[in-house]
Amino acid sequence: SRQIYREMPVTTAAPSAEERTAVHHHMLEILSPAEETSAFAFREPAIAAILEIQSRGRIPLLVAGTGFYFRALKSAPGLPPAPADVRARTASMTQAERLELLGSIDPARLESLPQKEPYRVQRALEIALSPPAESKPGAVSPAFRSFYLVRDRSDLDAALLARVKQMIDAGMVDEVRMVKERYGIC
């Protein structure tokens, strides 16, 4: 979900030039770090890329980290981003205020959140405060097979720590500093 942003190849672990030469990649570095996106916004252009690849007689491979965007491709289109006024309102609230308001207007939605992390709570509150989304047909998901790799948790944790160290050694801190200075974000 982060490799769609330009100017952050280390931070997003973007494929190297050699990897891109060996295998053509799609949907990489298509947005400025200042642009916001969502799985909802990602879905249609990703499906268009899949269909274009298939039209050439090729087999597209979808490779995901957390699988969130992958699931968005596989299932219903989801909900569009909240209106700007709703986003501004929820963004200005503290986490405690968000939890309290969500609990008062939609306790079932609050209870359904497996984790009460700030992004998920804010998004749930945005959905609860937004007018009902207009139903519009989205692009139909192409049929595909899913394969999942499973690693032992301790092995995965060790690999993640090594990857983070490698990213820091490769200049991630300077890259984040540059994005923060240039775009005022991070």
Side-chain angles (χ1 to χ4, degrees):
S1 69
R2 300 295 178 245
Q3 291 179 353
I4 58 175
Y5 291 106
R6 293 186 292 269
E7 302 180 65
M8 300 189 299
V10 176
T11 306
T12 64
S16 67
E18 296 79 28
E19 291 167 323
R20 292 181 198 200
T21 299
V23 177
H24 186 76
H25 291 69
H26 297 265
M27 302 294 293
L28 295 178
E29 299 180 343
I30 58 174
L31 297 177
S32 155
E35 293 178 87
E36 288 189 29
T37 193
S38 66
F40 180 84
F42 173 83
R43 190 173 188 280
E44 285 196 36
I47 289 173
I50 291 166
L51 295 174
E52 188 277 324
I53 294 164
Q54 290 174 334
S55 76
R56 292 184 278 122
R58 301 287 187 167
I59 299 172
L61 298 177
L62 288 79
V63 181
T66 64
F68 182 70
Y69 279 47
F70 181 77
R71 285 188 301 276
L73 286 172
K74 200 172 178 180
S75 62
L79 297 171
D85 61 324
V86 172
R87 292 203 77 196
R89 178 180 173 197
T90 60
S92 69
M93 300 171 80
T94 67
Q95 177 72 349
E97 291 169 333
R98 288 184 197 124
L99 287 165
E100 183 179 345
L101 182 55
L102 183 58
S104 70
I105 61 174
D106 195 343
R109 188 181 304 269
L110 177 60
E111 186 61 34
S112 73
L113 294 175
Q115 300 161 341
K116 306 298 188 255
E117 59 193 42
Y119 175 81
R120 289 175 188 245
V121 172
Q122 181 176 350
R123 180 64 178 139
L125 185 56
E126 289 173 0
I127 292 167
L129 293 173
S130 295
E134 287 185 26
S135 178
K136 81 170 196 171
V140 176
S141 294
F144 52 86
R145 292 185 183 173
S146 303
F147 300 92
Y148 302 90
L149 302 178
V150 179
R151 290 179 79 170
D152 176 68
R153 186 66 201 191
S154 61
D155 182 41
L156 181 61
D157 287 346
L160 288 170
L161 285 174
R163 178 116 182 220
V164 169
K165 183 183 180 331
Q166 180 185 22
M167 292 167 78
I168 290 170
D169 292 346
M172 183 175 79
V173 173
D174 290 334
E175 192 175 84
V176 170
R177 186 177 294 120
M178 178 276 300
V179 168
K180 183 176 181 180
E181 291 169 3
R182 186 173 292 167
Y183 298 101
I185 55 173
C186 283

